[in-house]
Amino acid sequence: MKPTQIAPVVLTATLLVCSTASGQSDTNKWVSSASAGLTLTRGNSETLLGTIGVASGRKWDHNELSLGADGTYGKTKNQTTGQDETTAESLHGFGQYNRLFTE
């Protein structure tokens, strides 16, 4: 059996990390997370998709702050021509500040 006749194999990995500064109250610390993913398929087509993201936030008194970024990249190899084609490509970032008037 040829490798191209085998059903596509999917590999997905996700990493989640949460970190906070110790010694601070629960309402006055940074909370952060990071994630990464990889999808790889082989068979009638060869595809690769990778993702990564980070986010962080902090709440104190009457203030809230959120920051984050993520990106995606994917490509597919055309079996007929042997050329690679980019199928996904994005980069996104955000920031948000909230001032609370009441608790």
Side-chain angles (χ1 to χ4, degrees), residues 71-85:
T72 302
Y73 179 77
K75 69 178 184 176
T76 299
K77 183 174 184 178
N78 185 326
Q79 295 294 347
T80 306
T81 63
Q83 294 180 343
D84 289 340
E85 176 186 346

Side-chain angles (χ1 to χ4, degrees), residues 17-103:
V17 179
C18 293
S19 64
T20 58
S22 61
Q24 295 181 350
S25 68
D26 287 341
T27 59
N28 192 15
K29 62 182 176 182
W30 285 96
V31 177
S32 302
S33 66
S35 63
L38 177 68
T39 304
L40 177 66
T41 63
R42 295 293 185 251
N44 292 334
S45 64
E46 295 180 8
T47 62
L48 171 70
L49 176 67
T51 60
I52 190 166
V54 294
S56 189
R58 181 178 179 188
K59 295 180 182 181
W60 66 101
D61 297 329
H62 294 284
N63 303 297
E64 297 177 347
L65 180 62
S66 298
L67 303 169
D70 59 68
T72 302
Y73 179 77
K75 69 178 184 176
T76 299
K77 183 174 184 178
N78 185 326
Q79 295 294 347
T80 306
T81 63
Q83 294 180 343
D84 289 340
E85 176 186 346
T86 301
T87 56
E89 191 173 48
S90 69
L91 184 61
H92 172 255
F94 73 89
Q96 179 177 340
Y97 171 77
N98 297 329
R99 173 69 178 168
L100 307 175
F101 296 111
T102 62
E103 292 184 23

